Amino acid sequence: MEHAEKVIDEKKQGKPLLTDQKKGNSKKLFIESYGCQMNMNDSEIVASILAEQGFNTTGNIEEADLVLMNTCSIREKAEQTVRNRLQKYNYWKKHNPKMKVGVLGCMAERLKTKFLEEEKIVDLVVGPDAYRDLPNLVEEVEAGRDAINVLLSKEETYADVSPVRLNSNGVSAFVSITRGCDNMCTFCVVPFTRGRERSRDPQSIISEIRSMQEKNFKEITLLGQNVDSFLWYGGGLKKDFAKASEMAKATAVDFAQLLDMCANEFPKMRFRFSTSNPQDMTLDVIHVMAKHKNICKYIHLPIQSGSNAMLKAMNRQHTREEYLDLVKNIYEIIPEMNLSQDMIAGFCGETEEDHKDTLDLMKQVKYSFGFMFAYSERPGTLAAKKMEDDIPLDIKKRRLQEIIDIQQEHSLLRTQEQIGKIQEVLIEGTSKKNPNEWKGRNTQNTVVVFPKEHYKMGDFVNVKIQDCTSTTLKGTAIEYSDNN
């Protein structure tokens, strides 16, 4: 690692940075740095970016609105120092609840989800390449959401959509079930930043859900880079399962079994999961979904491209035909299932034929919604090292627009199918557009809005759907559902 050569000046470790005060700035930033000169330098860049956002630096942590620690992960000692400091920050945070805390730099890169999810102290995690995104991230945090941006930009999250624990609405929460990923998709950096795949002990997952239930949460999303490949056999990496004892193999728990356990254990709780990987999804999972009313009938099933040549170039471990076969089986077992997609337009070497295959696949599946991007190279990925990003931007944009147009058609088609039906909706909050309406989601993950009347946040309500746009269903509540 090139950093290792850089000199670490002991006298400068952990000193708060003080910069010239900008007139008119009312918010206070406390920023301290650990590690090499480059980190000290980065802290100055961060302070100047945030000065434009109304922050002046302060040496007094008690008055800070935002506390940032710029970290180094070269030495074990640095990591311990950072952990000790985080405990101290926690103390100040209790005294000043509006204080937000963030970790920047190399250690953020390594331990991002740990900081957000396990330590629960940190509101913001920013890797060394994402400082330009700080204004957006600070905005996210001020709006009460955890913000994470390590390497991958906010618009184009590709595979880094999860796991982030969002500071929730108090109704739905996220529980991570796996860490890391073993699928080496060539466009994705996750295996390098999150490591090899390992699963959590099912009992620890159940007890986390129980604590959520005690706090009155009504819906849990089980999260992982690839939930379908969940496999618990007493600990250890997924790839080492073959070496496990016969006993460990015989008592192993896979994703279908975990889902079944959760649904049985918490019959009044609603369950979702994300992200699914087509090559690891088994029909056992679909049968478990069909069996339980409290497992939502929605799967995010990314494919990235409808072309076999592109799937191969992306190192996706399945073909277009296998994917369509899986989709056909899903619709046969659960006809009302909603599917969503991730698509990348203009991946390395994509021809017009390849692009047409994608449009054709979309026409066959008719996804309810999707996350669609023009390909842009990510540093550190296999594609960046070995493939030429050779599709001109104007062609990428046109192809992306064609994908978006088809998706909007299908989204409208899927919401129109719901008109006249009665659907169970979990109330998650007030509608953005109308303060007199609640919004929530139905089992298929579509947003539903309806007049508030006497209902409240966290209620399960049966709503008769009367109208729709391509993204939202509109209706009237008729009664509480039997899930309350």
Side-chain angles (χ1 to χ4, degrees), residues 248-436:
K249 285 181 182 165
T251 54
V253 176
D254 67 12
F255 183 57
Q257 291 163 307
L258 177 72
L259 208 48
D260 199 41
M261 281 165 67
C262 292
N264 280 325
E265 185 82 24
F266 306 100
K268 293 283 189 199
M269 199 82 139
R270 212 191 224 191
F271 287 95
R272 299 184 184 278
F273 55 88
S274 186
T275 293
S276 291
N277 203 309
Q279 75 219 34
D280 296 304
M281 177 135 227
T282 63
L283 293 181
D284 295 359
V285 171
I286 310 303
H287 287 298
V288 169
M289 293 175 82
K291 181 172 113 182
H292 294 282
K293 181 177 177 282
N294 60 334
I295 301 176
C296 292
K297 306 304 181 258
Y298 161 70
I299 302 172
H300 181 53
L301 198 63
I303 185 164
Q304 314 296 357
S305 170
S307 145
N308 278 334
M310 289 298 98
L311 291 171
K312 195 166 183 213
M314 291 172 174
N315 197 29
R316 306 287 283 171
Q317 306 290 313
H318 60 85
T319 61
R320 161 198 178 90
E321 290 73 21
E322 286 165 334
Y323 183 91
L324 286 170
D325 197 43
L326 173 63
V327 167
K328 182 169 110 352
N329 286 323
I330 290 173
Y331 284 150
E332 271 171 16
I333 299 166
I334 305 178
E336 74 275 23
M337 183 73 84
N338 261 11
L339 298 177
S340 59
Q341 44 85 347
D342 287 347
M343 273 321 159
I344 298 174
F347 188 66
C348 312
E350 185 184 67
T351 63
E352 272 310 306
E353 264 325 289
D354 294 324
H355 171 60
K356 287 202 174 81
D357 280 351
T358 295
L359 301 182
D360 175 74
L361 178 124
M362 290 177 73
K363 285 171 185 161
Q364 292 190 55
V365 178
K366 299 187 173 54
Y367 296 99
S368 301
F369 53 94
F371 303 91
M372 298 152 285
F373 310 105
Y375 175 66
S376 70
E377 214 170 66
R378 290 275 168 273
T381 59
L382 295 169
K385 290 177 193 153
K386 300 199 172 140
M387 299 177 186
E388 197 190 338
D389 182 3
D390 55 359
I391 310 298
L393 188 61
D394 56 334
I395 293 180
K396 283 182 183 172
K397 284 188 167 158
R398 172 185 58 78
R399 288 178 185 170
L400 176 60
Q401 195 52 55
E402 287 173 11
I403 289 172
I404 290 170
D405 291 347
I406 286 191
Q407 186 50 62
Q408 283 180 326
E409 238 174 82
H410 293 159
S411 295
L412 184 59
L413 186 80
R414 290 298 189 193
T415 50
Q416 283 169 339
E417 289 174 351
Q418 308 303 329
I419 291 178
K421 294 185 178 168
I422 291 172
Q423 303 204 319
E424 184 186 73
V425 177
L426 171 59
I427 301 177
E428 294 174 19
T430 296
S431 156
K432 280 198 188 80
K433 293 190 175 146
N434 183 344
N436 302 315

Side-chain angles (χ1 to χ4, degrees), residues 90-105:
N90 217 1
Y91 168 80
W92 290 115
K93 231 177 153 177
K94 287 197 178 84
H95 291 271
N96 177 6
K98 72 177 200 318
M99 177 195 284
K100 300 291 181 195
V101 172
V103 175
L104 314 176

